[in-house]
Each structure stands twice: as C-alpha cells, then as structure tokens.
Amino acid sequence: MTEDRLLIEELAAKGGQPDFLRSIAENVLQLIMEADVDGLIGAGRHERSGERATWRNGYRDRSLDTRVGTLNLKIPKLRAGSYFPGFLEPRKMVEKALVAVIQEAWIGGVSTRRVDELVQAMGMTGISKSTVSKLCKDIDERVHAFLKRPLTGEWPYLWLDATYLKVREGGRIISVAAIIAMAVNTEGRREIVGLHIGPSEAEVFWSDFLKDLVRRGLTGVKLVISDAHEGLKGAITRVMGATWQRCRVHFMRNALSYVPKGQNTVVAAAIRQVFLQPDQKSATQVWR
C-alpha cells in the first residue's frame, strides 16, 4: 500500500468529504466511458487509424444518483451508431461496482487484470493498462490537492485521533499510525482538514502534523478534543496554544477497561448520566 491509498482508506472510514469523493467517482466513470468509446471507435481521441469505425460527436449530459451524491456525467456521442454505458441501464446496480473499482484500484494495489474484470462486469468492453495508469495518476493528484488545500476562516473546534494500520514494507508487515484531524468552522460546517501516515504517535510526529495544519491556514482554534496520549497533549500545547479536552469516547473506553465485562452496560449507563447534566455543578454531583 502506498501512503495515498492508506489516506483514501482512512478518509472513507471517517465518513469522507462528500464533494471530494463525488469528484473522484465522476472522474473514474468518465475515464471508463472514454476508454470504452475508444474501443468502439477503434482509435483514441485525435488518433489516426485505419481501423477507425466512426468519429466522436460531442457529449450529452446525464446525472446518476449515488450514495456520495449526484454525479454529473458526460456521455460520449458518435457520428455513426450510438453509445450508452452499461452501468446506466435501468435497474442495474452501479454503486457496488463503482466502489469496487475505486477500492480495488487504490486499496488493493491497482491490479490491471482485476480492474479490467470489474469494468467488464459493469457491462463495458474492458480497460487498458494505460487507462488504469491515467486513472490512478488523476486520483493521486486529486488526493494530494485535497490534503494540501488552503484552510480559510477560523476553526474554533478541532478533533484529533489516530488508528493503526498494517502495511507491507520491504517484504514484511509493519504497523503504521494514520492520524486524522476534523474541525468545525464558525459557520458550523464540519470538515476533515488533515490526514497523515507515520511510524508512531510520537510527539514530534503530532507536532509536525499540527504545524502543517497551521501553515495551511488553520486558525482560531479554541478547543482541541483528543485522547489523553501524552505526546499529543504536548504537541497541542506547544503548537496550537488552545484548551485541551479529553475525548468522551476515549474516556468511556478507558473507564470500562477497569470494569468486569458483565457490568459494562450498567456502568456505562451510569457514566452517561454525568454527560447529560445541564451544568458543571449537576455533573459533579452525579459523578460523585
């Protein structure tokens, strides 16, 4: 797995960024249609070929509703004959095939044979190695642009978390940390503002990640919510200069680790009552 594939996987697991995932889905389907039409014509765009059967004749617009939103597609038109992609046929399940193409191409490692099989399963004639390379390069550029995009405005609330993933490196399996930052701006809009892969959750790793967020324009942070990892807390104090609060989910997990499994439900319900109180005084009384 490359770093970008890990970031795509982690982004999808965290709910993703709707506009970002929608643009990737649109581009994947558009590239597949272009490759499909090249096969029907017998030549690529602006290519001279004695085997050419017809010519392109513009596009017609078509929308496709999916779980990542409405995709705006441009279906290629031909001067002689017609073309209509198989995945747009009525009642045909496109989403599973579309998601499988993206996952196989990026998380699975871009096997040309597997991508070609998936494209044919969607009712099209297949896809060449060069098209797979073009598709992967385009997604790589989009991922890089998303992760390096400037951040504007103020972001008063910032959540930080990490998970560990298994990857193959140098012929052996190792564990790496995938860290993610999610923030809410003054308009109440929540966005994933950063993702990064590193060897561990050491303080220097978190510090570099937070400094990069600041360089990209993350300002106005008043409260940072995370687990109680000492390296992370130290990085927050030094880089962000904001108030820190322990994540409620991590706190609950830590508390229940001291409780017998048979009593987890009862204890968890009791602790939740503390968080439901309207003010600090009431919460303190319930906690005691």
Side-chain angles (χ1 to χ4, degrees), residues 158-160 210 221-237 240-248 250-251 254:
L158 177 68
W159 284 264
L160 299 172
L210 294 177
V221 178
K222 301 185 185 318
L223 178 66
V224 181
I225 302 97
S226 72
D227 63 15
H229 189 280
E230 291 300 325
L232 174 53
K233 289 169 63 178
I236 291 170
T237 300
M240 306 306 298
T243 301
W244 173 80
Q245 178 177 299
R246 190 176 189 182
C247 171
R248 172 178 166 178
H250 286 91
F251 169 78
N254 295 151

Side-chain angles (χ1 to χ4, degrees), residues 204-223:
V204 63
F205 180 42
W206 277 112
S207 293
D208 290 344
F209 178 65
L210 294 177
K211 288 176 182 177
D212 183 63
L213 292 179
V214 172
R215 281 193 295 268
R216 287 172 47 213
L218 186 71
T219 59
V221 178
K222 301 185 185 318
L223 178 66

Side-chain angles (χ1 to χ4, degrees), residues 31-236:
L31 285 172
I32 290 174
M33 286 191 292
E34 298 293 345
D36 206 30
V37 168
D38 286 348
L40 289 175
I41 293 176
R45 184 183 294 277
H46 308 303
E47 179 184 352
R48 296 182 180 274
S49 173
E51 299 178 356
R52 177 185 289 275
T54 183
W55 288 263
R56 293 172 177 267
N57 191 30
Y59 296 90
R60 64 180 183 276
D61 295 330
R62 176 68 181 266
S63 61
L64 174 65
D65 293 329
T66 72
R67 283 173 292 181
V68 298
T70 300
L71 308 183
N72 298 312
L73 304 175
K74 293 184 178 296
I75 301 176
K77 296 166 62 178
L78 305 177
R79 290 187 186 178
S82 62
Y83 168 73
F84 192 78
F87 59 79
L88 287 179
E89 292 177 4
R91 301 184 181 86
K92 189 157 187 177
M93 295 297 290
V94 61
E95 287 190 68
K96 289 185 179 179
L98 171 59
V99 172
V101 168
I102 297 174
Q103 288 179 336
E104 289 292 332
W106 282 93
I107 301 173
V110 192
S111 164
T112 303
R113 179 179 58 82
R114 283 192 293 175
V115 173
D116 184 59
E117 290 173 355
L118 288 165
V119 170
Q120 293 186 46
M122 294 169 71
M124 290 172 285
T125 56
I127 190 167
S128 66
K129 291 183 179 180
S130 61
T131 303
V132 170
S133 298
K134 181 180 178 182
L135 183 152
C136 297
K137 179 181 178 182
D138 185 84
I139 295 179
D140 184 65
E141 291 172 352
R142 288 169 182 264
V143 171
H144 182 77
F146 173 78
L147 296 178
K148 297 299 181 182
R149 73 192 189 282
L151 301 172
T152 59
E154 294 194 341
W155 304 81
Y157 304 105
L158 177 68
W159 284 264
L160 299 172
D161 199 4
T163 187
Y164 281 84
L165 304 173
K166 298 292 185 181
V167 302
R168 183 182 299 277
E169 184 177 285
R172 61 192 183 95
I173 302 297
I174 63 172
S175 181
V176 296
I179 62 176
I180 186 169
M182 184 177 291
V184 171
N185 65 10
T186 52
E187 298 175 355
R189 188 179 75 252
R190 183 179 67 173
E191 286 189 17
I192 292 175
V193 294
L195 280 162
H196 197 56
I197 302 294
S200 70
E201 288 188 78
E203 182 176 338
V204 63
F205 180 42
W206 277 112
S207 293
D208 290 344
F209 178 65
L210 294 177
K211 288 176 182 177
D212 183 63
L213 292 179
V214 172
R215 281 193 295 268
R216 287 172 47 213
L218 186 71
T219 59
V221 178
K222 301 185 185 318
L223 178 66
V224 181
I225 302 97
S226 72
D227 63 15
H229 189 280
E230 291 300 325
L232 174 53
K233 289 169 63 178
I236 291 170

